[in-house]
Amino acid sequence: MSRHPHTAGATMPAPLHPSASETVLVIVLVLTGAWLAPAGMEPAAILQLLGGTGLLGATVATVLRRIRRTPLTLIAA
């Protein structure tokens, strides 16, 4: 996706590239699935495990992304 102006004159934002933590998450999920498949686990169980792990990982990646954007303020008590 480029930053060429639309007909209304607005520019498109640059595409969002995955962060290092998101890339690691995808690699871990793929390797885990490849490791569990020949181990004799049921396909439905593998999908459930990978789905839960993916959901947890996506949540962590989202939280990390928001933490990086939001300045950390310490409240002195």
Side-chain angles (χ1 to χ4, degrees):
M1 192 181 298
S2 65
R3 293 183 179 216
H4 295 296
H6 285 285
T7 55
T11 58
M12 294 282 299
L16 181 64
H17 297 288
S19 66
S21 60
E22 293 167 339
T23 304
V24 169
L25 172 66
V26 170
I27 291 171
V28 167
L29 288 175
V30 169
L31 291 177
T32 303
W35 176 65
L36 290 175
M41 240 179 134
E42 293 284 328
I46 293 173
L47 290 176
Q48 288 176 348
L49 178 66
L50 293 179
T53 305
L55 182 62
L56 179 65
T59 302
V60 169
T62 302
V63 168
L64 288 175
R65 180 172 281 178
R66 289 188 183 194
I67 286 174
R68 281 186 231 132
R69 290 183 183 173
T70 307
L72 180 63
T73 57
L74 298 175
I75 301 173

Coordinates of all heavy atoms in Angstrom, one line a residue:
M1 N 0.9 -1.2 0.0 CA 0.0 0.0 0.0 C 0.9 1.2 0.0 O 1.8 1.3 0.8 CB -0.9 0.0 1.2 CG -2.0 1.0 1.2 SD -3.0 0.9 2.7 CE -3.7 -0.7 2.6
S2 N 0.6 2.1 -0.8 CA 1.5 3.3 -0.9 C 0.8 4.5 -0.3 O -0.4 4.5 0.1 CB 1.8 3.6 -2.4 OG 0.6 3.9 -3.1
R3 N 1.4 5.7 -0.3 CA 0.9 6.9 0.3 C 0.4 7.8 -0.8 O 0.4 9.0 -0.7 CB 1.9 7.6 1.1 CG 2.3 6.8 2.3 CD 3.3 7.6 3.1 NE 3.6 6.8 4.3 CZ 3.9 7.4 5.5 NH1 3.8 8.7 5.6 NH2 4.1 6.6 6.5
H4 N -0.1 7.3 -1.9 CA -0.7 8.1 -3.0 C -2.0 8.7 -2.5 O -2.8 8.1 -1.8 CB -1.0 7.3 -4.2 CG 0.3 6.7 -4.8 ND1 1.3 7.5 -5.3 CD2 0.7 5.5 -5.0 CE1 2.3 6.8 -5.8 NE2 2.0 5.5 -5.6
P5 N -2.2 10.0 -2.8 CA -3.4 10.7 -2.4 C -4.7 10.1 -3.0 O -4.7 9.6 -4.1 CB -3.2 12.1 -2.8 CG -2.2 12.1 -3.8 CD -1.4 10.9 -3.6
H6 N -5.8 10.0 -2.2 CA -7.1 9.6 -2.8 C -7.6 10.8 -3.6 O -7.1 11.9 -3.7 CB -8.0 9.3 -1.6 CG -7.7 8.0 -0.9 ND1 -8.0 6.8 -1.5 CD2 -7.1 7.8 0.3 CE1 -7.6 5.9 -0.6 NE2 -7.1 6.4 0.4
T7 N -8.8 10.5 -4.2 CA -9.4 11.5 -5.0 C -9.8 12.7 -4.1 O -9.9 13.9 -4.6 CB -10.7 11.0 -5.7 OG1 -11.5 10.4 -4.7 CG2 -10.3 9.9 -6.7
A8 N -10.1 12.5 -2.8 CA -10.5 13.6 -1.9 C -9.2 14.3 -1.4 O -9.4 15.3 -0.7 CB -11.3 13.0 -0.7
G9 N -8.0 13.9 -1.7 CA -6.8 14.6 -1.3 C -6.2 14.0 0.0 O -5.1 14.4 0.4
A10 N -6.9 13.1 0.7 CA -6.3 12.5 1.9 C -5.3 11.5 1.5 O -5.4 10.8 0.5 CB -7.4 11.9 2.7
T11 N -4.2 11.3 2.3 CA -3.2 10.3 2.1 C -3.5 9.1 2.9 O -4.0 9.2 4.0 CB -1.8 10.9 2.4 OG1 -1.8 11.3 3.7 CG2 -1.5 12.0 1.5
M12 N -3.1 8.0 2.4 CA -3.2 6.7 3.1 C -2.1 6.5 4.1 O -1.0 6.9 3.8 CB -3.2 5.5 2.1 CG -4.4 5.5 1.2 SD -5.8 4.8 2.0 CE -5.3 3.2 2.4
P13 N -2.3 6.0 5.3 CA -1.2 5.7 6.2 C -0.4 4.6 5.7 O -0.8 3.8 4.9 CB -1.9 5.4 7.5 CG -3.2 4.8 7.1 CD -3.6 5.6 5.8
A14 N 0.9 4.6 6.1 CA 1.8 3.5 5.7 C 1.3 2.2 6.3 O 0.6 2.1 7.4 CB 3.2 3.8 6.2
P15 N 1.5 1.0 5.6 CA 1.0 -0.2 6.2 C 1.7 -0.6 7.5 O 2.9 -0.2 7.7 CB 1.4 -1.2 5.1 CG 2.5 -0.6 4.3 CD 2.2 0.9 4.4
L16 N 1.0 -1.3 8.3 CA 1.5 -1.6 9.6 C 2.3 -3.0 9.5 O 1.7 -4.0 9.1 CB 0.4 -1.8 10.6 CG 0.8 -2.1 12.1 CD1 1.6 -1.0 12.7 CD2 -0.4 -2.3 12.9
H17 N 3.6 -2.9 9.8 CA 4.4 -4.1 9.7 C 4.3 -4.8 11.1 O 4.3 -4.2 12.1 CB 5.8 -3.8 9.3 CG 5.9 -3.2 8.0 ND1 5.7 -3.9 6.8 CD2 6.2 -1.9 7.6 CE1 5.9 -3.1 5.8 NE2 6.1 -1.9 6.2
P18 N 4.4 -6.2 11.1 CA 4.3 -6.9 12.3 C 5.6 -6.6 13.2 O 6.7 -6.5 12.6 CB 4.2 -8.4 12.0 CG 4.6 -8.4 10.5 CD 4.4 -7.1 9.9
S19 N 5.4 -6.5 14.5 CA 6.5 -6.3 15.4 C 7.2 -7.6 15.6 O 6.8 -8.6 15.2 CB 6.0 -5.7 16.7 OG 5.2 -6.7 17.4
A20 N 8.4 -7.5 16.3 CA 9.2 -8.7 16.5 C 8.4 -9.7 17.4 O 8.4 -10.9 17.1 CB 10.5 -8.3 17.2
S21 N 7.6 -9.2 18.4 CA 6.9 -10.1 19.2 C 5.8 -10.8 18.4 O 5.5 -12.0 18.7 CB 6.3 -9.4 20.4 OG 5.4 -8.3 20.0
E22 N 5.1 -10.1 17.5 CA 4.1 -10.8 16.7 C 4.7 -11.8 15.8 O 4.1 -12.9 15.5 CB 3.4 -9.7 15.9 CG 2.5 -8.8 16.7 CD 2.0 -7.6 16.0 OE1 2.6 -7.2 14.9 OE2 1.1 -7.0 16.5
T23 N 5.9 -11.5 15.2 CA 6.6 -12.5 14.3 C 7.0 -13.7 15.1 O 6.8 -14.9 14.6 CB 7.8 -11.8 13.7 OG1 7.4 -10.6 13.0 CG2 8.5 -12.7 12.7
V24 N 7.5 -13.5 16.3 CA 7.9 -14.7 17.2 C 6.6 -15.5 17.5 O 6.7 -16.7 17.5 CB 8.6 -14.2 18.4 CG1 8.7 -15.3 19.5 CG2 9.9 -13.6 18.1
L25 N 5.5 -14.8 17.8 CA 4.3 -15.5 18.1 C 3.8 -16.4 17.0 O 3.5 -17.6 17.2 CB 3.2 -14.5 18.4 CG 1.8 -15.1 18.6 CD1 1.7 -16.0 19.8 CD2 0.7 -14.0 18.6
V26 N 3.9 -16.0 15.7 CA 3.5 -16.8 14.6 C 4.4 -18.0 14.4 O 4.0 -19.1 14.2 CB 3.4 -15.9 13.3 CG1 3.3 -16.7 12.1 CG2 2.3 -14.9 13.4
I27 N 5.7 -17.7 14.6 CA 6.7 -18.8 14.4 C 6.5 -19.9 15.5 O 6.5 -21.1 15.2 CB 8.1 -18.2 14.5 CG1 8.4 -17.4 13.2 CG2 9.2 -19.3 14.6 CD1 9.7 -16.6 13.2
V28 N 6.3 -19.5 16.7 CA 6.0 -20.4 17.8 C 4.8 -21.2 17.5 O 4.7 -22.5 17.7 CB 6.0 -19.7 19.2 CG1 5.4 -20.6 20.2 CG2 7.3 -19.2 19.5
L29 N 3.7 -20.6 17.1 CA 2.5 -21.3 16.8 C 2.7 -22.3 15.7 O 2.2 -23.5 15.8 CB 1.3 -20.4 16.4 CG 0.8 -19.5 17.6 CD1 -0.2 -18.5 17.1 CD2 0.2 -20.4 18.6
V30 N 3.3 -22.0 14.6 CA 3.6 -22.9 13.5 C 4.4 -24.1 13.9 O 4.1 -25.2 13.6 CB 4.2 -22.1 12.3 CG1 4.7 -23.1 11.3 CG2 3.2 -21.2 11.7
L31 N 5.5 -23.8 14.7 CA 6.4 -24.8 15.2 C 5.7 -25.8 16.1 O 5.9 -27.0 16.1 CB 7.7 -24.3 15.8 CG 8.6 -23.6 14.8 CD1 9.8 -23.0 15.5 CD2 9.1 -24.5 13.7
T32 N 4.9 -25.2 17.0 CA 4.1 -26.0 18.0 C 3.1 -27.0 17.2 O 3.0 -28.2 17.5 CB 3.3 -25.2 19.0 OG1 4.2 -24.3 19.6 CG2 2.6 -26.0 20.0
G33 N 2.4 -26.4 16.2 CA 1.5 -27.3 15.4 C 2.3 -28.4 14.7 O 1.8 -29.5 14.6
A34 N 3.4 -28.0 14.1 CA 4.2 -29.0 13.4 C 4.8 -30.1 14.3 O 5.0 -31.2 14.0 CB 5.4 -28.3 12.7
W35 N 5.1 -29.7 15.6 CA 5.6 -30.6 16.6 C 4.5 -31.6 17.1 O 4.7 -32.8 17.3 CB 6.2 -29.9 17.7 CG 6.8 -30.7 18.8 CD1 7.8 -31.6 18.8 CD2 6.3 -30.8 20.2 NE1 7.9 -32.2 20.0 CE2 7.0 -31.7 20.9 CE3 5.3 -30.1 20.8 CZ2 6.8 -32.0 22.2 CZ3 5.1 -30.4 22.2 CH2 5.8 -31.3 22.8
L36 N 3.3 -31.0 17.3 CA 2.2 -31.8 17.9 C 1.5 -32.8 16.9 O 1.0 -33.8 17.2 CB 1.1 -30.9 18.5 CG 1.5 -30.2 19.7 CD1 0.4 -29.2 20.1 CD2 1.9 -31.1 20.9
A37 N 1.5 -32.4 15.6 CA 0.8 -33.2 14.6 C 1.4 -34.6 14.5 O 0.6 -35.6 14.6 CB 0.9 -32.5 13.3
P38 N 2.7 -34.8 14.4 CA 3.2 -36.2 14.3 C 3.2 -36.9 15.6 O 3.4 -38.1 15.7 CB 4.6 -36.1 13.7 CG 5.0 -34.7 13.8 CD 3.7 -33.9 14.1
A39 N 2.9 -36.2 16.7 CA 3.0 -36.8 18.0 C 1.7 -37.7 18.3 O 1.6 -38.3 19.4 CB 3.1 -35.8 19.1
G40 N 0.8 -37.7 17.4 CA -0.4 -38.5 17.5 C -1.6 -37.8 18.2 O -2.6 -38.4 18.6
M41 N -1.5 -36.5 18.4 CA -2.6 -35.7 19.0 C -3.7 -35.6 18.0 O -3.5 -35.5 16.8 CB -2.1 -34.3 19.4 CG -2.2 -34.1 20.9 SD -1.6 -32.4 21.2 CE -2.8 -31.9 22.3
E42 N -4.9 -35.6 18.5 CA -6.1 -35.4 17.7 C -6.0 -34.0 17.0 O -5.7 -33.0 17.7 CB -7.4 -35.4 18.5 CG -7.6 -36.8 19.1 CD -8.2 -37.8 18.0 OE1 -8.9 -37.3 17.1 OE2 -7.8 -39.0 18.1
P43 N -6.5 -33.9 15.8 CA -6.4 -32.6 15.1 C -7.3 -31.5 15.8 O -6.9 -30.4 15.9 CB -7.0 -32.9 13.7 CG -6.7 -34.3 13.5 CD -6.8 -35.0 14.8
A44 N -8.4 -31.9 16.4 CA -9.3 -31.0 17.1 C -8.6 -30.4 18.3 O -8.7 -29.3 18.6 CB -10.6 -31.6 17.4
A45 N -7.9 -31.3 19.0 CA -7.1 -30.9 20.2 C -6.0 -29.9 19.8 O -5.8 -29.0 20.6 CB -6.6 -32.1 21.0
I46 N -5.3 -30.2 18.7 CA -4.3 -29.3 18.3 C -4.8 -27.9 17.9 O -4.3 -26.9 18.3 CB -3.5 -29.9 17.1 CG1 -2.8 -31.2 17.5 CG2 -2.6 -28.9 16.5 CD1 -2.2 -31.9 16.3
L47 N -6.0 -27.9 17.2 CA -6.6 -26.6 16.9 C -7.0 -25.9 18.1 O -6.9 -24.6 18.2 CB -7.7 -26.9 15.9 CG -7.4 -27.3 14.5 CD1 -8.7 -27.6 13.7 CD2 -6.5 -26.3 13.8
Q48 N -7.6 -26.6 19.1 CA -8.0 -25.9 20.3 C -6.8 -25.3 21.1 O -6.8 -24.2 21.5 CB -8.7 -26.8 21.2 CG -10.1 -27.2 20.8 CD -10.8 -28.2 21.6 OE1 -10.1 -28.8 22.5 NE2 -12.1 -28.4 21.4
L49 N -5.7 -26.1 21.1 CA -4.5 -25.6 21.8 C -3.9 -24.4 21.1 O -3.5 -23.4 21.7 CB -3.5 -26.8 21.9 CG -2.1 -26.5 22.6 CD1 -2.4 -26.1 24.0 CD2 -1.2 -27.6 22.4
L50 N -3.8 -24.5 19.8 CA -3.2 -23.4 19.0 C -4.1 -22.2 19.0 O -3.6 -21.1 19.1 CB -2.9 -23.9 17.6 CG -1.8 -24.9 17.4 CD1 -1.7 -25.3 15.9 CD2 -0.5 -24.5 18.0
G51 N -5.4 -22.4 19.0 CA -6.3 -21.3 19.1 C -6.2 -20.5 20.4 O -6.2 -19.3 20.5
G52 N -6.2 -21.3 21.5 CA -6.0 -20.6 22.8 C -4.7 -19.9 23.0 O -4.6 -18.8 23.5
T53 N -3.6 -20.6 22.5 CA -2.3 -20.0 22.5 C -2.2 -18.7 21.7 O -1.6 -17.7 22.0 CB -1.2 -21.0 22.1 OG1 -1.4 -22.2 22.9 CG2 0.2 -20.5 22.3
G54 N -2.8 -18.8 20.5 CA -2.8 -17.7 19.6 C -3.6 -16.5 20.2 O -3.2 -15.3 20.1
L55 N -4.7 -16.8 20.8 CA -5.5 -15.7 21.4 C -4.7 -15.1 22.6 O -4.7 -13.8 22.7 CB -6.8 -16.3 22.0 CG -7.8 -15.3 22.6 CD1 -8.2 -14.3 21.6 CD2 -9.0 -16.1 23.1
L56 N -4.1 -15.9 23.4 CA -3.3 -15.3 24.5 C -2.1 -14.5 23.9 O -1.8 -13.4 24.4 CB -2.8 -16.5 25.4 CG -1.9 -16.1 26.5 CD1 -2.7 -15.3 27.5 CD2 -1.3 -17.3 27.2
G57 N -1.5 -15.0 22.9 CA -0.3 -14.3 22.3 C -0.7 -13.0 21.7 O 0.0 -12.0 21.8
A58 N -1.9 -13.0 21.0 CA -2.4 -11.8 20.4 C -2.7 -10.7 21.4 O -2.5 -9.6 21.2 CB -3.6 -12.1 19.5
T59 N -3.3 -11.2 22.5 CA -3.6 -10.3 23.6 C -2.3 -9.7 24.2 O -2.3 -8.4 24.4 CB -4.4 -11.0 24.7 OG1 -5.6 -11.6 24.1 CG2 -4.8 -10.1 25.8
V60 N -1.3 -10.5 24.4 CA 0.0 -10.0 24.9 C 0.6 -9.0 23.9 O 1.1 -8.0 24.3 CB 0.9 -11.2 25.3 CG1 2.3 -10.7 25.5 CG2 0.4 -11.9 26.4
A61 N 0.6 -9.3 22.7 CA 1.2 -8.5 21.6 C 0.4 -7.1 21.6 O 1.1 -6.1 21.5 CB 1.1 -9.1 20.3
T62 N -0.9 -7.2 21.7 CA -1.7 -5.9 21.7 C -1.3 -5.1 22.9 O -1.2 -3.9 22.8 CB -3.2 -6.2 21.7 OG1 -3.4 -7.0 20.5 CG2 -4.0 -5.0 21.6
V63 N -1.3 -5.7 24.1 CA -0.9 -5.0 25.3 C 0.5 -4.4 25.2 O 0.7 -3.2 25.6 CB -1.1 -5.9 26.6 CG1 -0.4 -5.3 27.8 CG2 -2.5 -6.3 26.8
L64 N 1.4 -5.1 24.7 CA 2.8 -4.6 24.6 C 2.8 -3.4 23.6 O 3.5 -2.5 23.8 CB 3.7 -5.7 24.1 CG 4.1 -6.8 25.1 CD1 4.9 -7.9 24.4 CD2 4.8 -6.2 26.3
R65 N 2.1 -3.5 22.5 CA 2.0 -2.4 21.5 C 1.4 -1.2 22.2 O 1.9 -0.1 22.0 CB 1.2 -2.8 20.3 CG 1.2 -1.7 19.3 CD 0.5 -2.2 18.0 NE 1.5 -3.0 17.3 CZ 1.3 -3.6 16.2 NH1 0.1 -3.5 15.6 NH2 2.3 -4.3 15.5
R66 N 0.4 -1.3 23.0 CA -0.3 -0.1 23.6 C 0.6 0.4 24.7 O 0.7 1.6 24.9 CB -1.6 -0.5 24.2 CG -2.6 -0.7 23.1 CD -4.0 -0.9 23.7 NE -4.9 -1.2 22.6 CZ -6.2 -1.2 22.7 NH1 -6.7 -0.9 23.8 NH2 -6.9 -1.4 21.6
I67 N 1.4 -0.4 25.4 CA 2.3 0.1 26.4 C 3.4 0.9 25.8 O 3.8 1.9 26.3 CB 2.9 -1.1 27.2 CG1 1.9 -1.7 28.2 CG2 4.1 -0.7 28.0 CD1 2.3 -3.0 28.9
R68 N 3.9 0.5 24.6 CA 4.9 1.2 24.0 C 4.4 2.6 23.5 O 5.2 3.6 23.5 CB 5.5 0.5 22.8 CG 6.4 -0.6 23.2 CD 7.0 -1.3 22.0 NE 6.9 -2.7 22.1 CZ 6.4 -3.5 21.2 NH1 6.1 -3.1 20.0 NH2 6.3 -4.8 21.5
R69 N 3.2 2.7 23.2 CA 2.6 4.0 22.7 C 2.2 4.9 23.8 O 2.2 6.1 23.7 CB 1.3 3.7 21.8 CG 1.7 3.1 20.5 CD 0.4 3.0 19.7 NE 0.7 2.3 18.5 CZ -0.2 1.9 17.6 NH1 -1.5 2.1 17.9 NH2 0.1 1.3 16.5
T70 N 1.9 4.4 25.0 CA 1.4 5.2 26.1 C 2.6 5.4 27.0 O 3.3 4.5 27.5 CB 0.3 4.4 26.9 OG1 -0.7 4.1 26.0 CG2 -0.2 5.3 28.0
P71 N 2.9 6.7 27.3 CA 4.0 6.9 28.3 C 3.7 6.4 29.7 O 2.5 6.5 30.1 CB 4.1 8.5 28.3 CG 2.9 9.0 27.7 CD 2.3 7.9 26.9
L72 N 4.7 5.9 30.3 CA 4.5 5.3 31.6 C 4.6 6.4 32.6 O 5.6 7.2 32.7 CB 5.6 4.3 31.9 CG 5.6 3.6 33.3 CD1 4.3 2.8 33.4 CD2 6.7 2.7 33.4
T73 N 3.5 6.6 33.4 CA 3.5 7.6 34.5 C 3.5 6.9 35.8 O 2.6 6.1 36.1 CB 2.3 8.6 34.3 OG1 1.1 7.8 34.4 CG2 2.4 9.4 33.0
L74 N 4.4 7.3 36.7 CA 4.4 6.7 38.0 C 3.7 7.7 39.0 O 4.0 8.9 39.0 CB 5.9 6.5 38.4 CG 6.7 5.5 37.6 CD1 8.1 5.5 38.0 CD2 6.0 4.1 37.6
I75 N 2.9 7.1 39.7 CA 2.1 8.0 40.7 C 2.8 7.9 42.0 O 2.9 6.8 42.6 CB 0.7 7.5 40.8 CG1 0.0 7.6 39.4 CG2 -0.1 8.3 41.9 CD1 -1.4 7.0 39.4
A76 N 3.3 9.0 42.6 CA 3.9 9.0 43.9 C 2.8 9.0 44.9 O 2.0 9.9 45.0 CB 4.8 10.2 44.0
A77 N 2.9 8.1 45.8 CA 1.9 8.0 46.9 C 2.3 8.7 48.1 O 3.4 8.8 48.5 CB 1.5 6.6 47.2

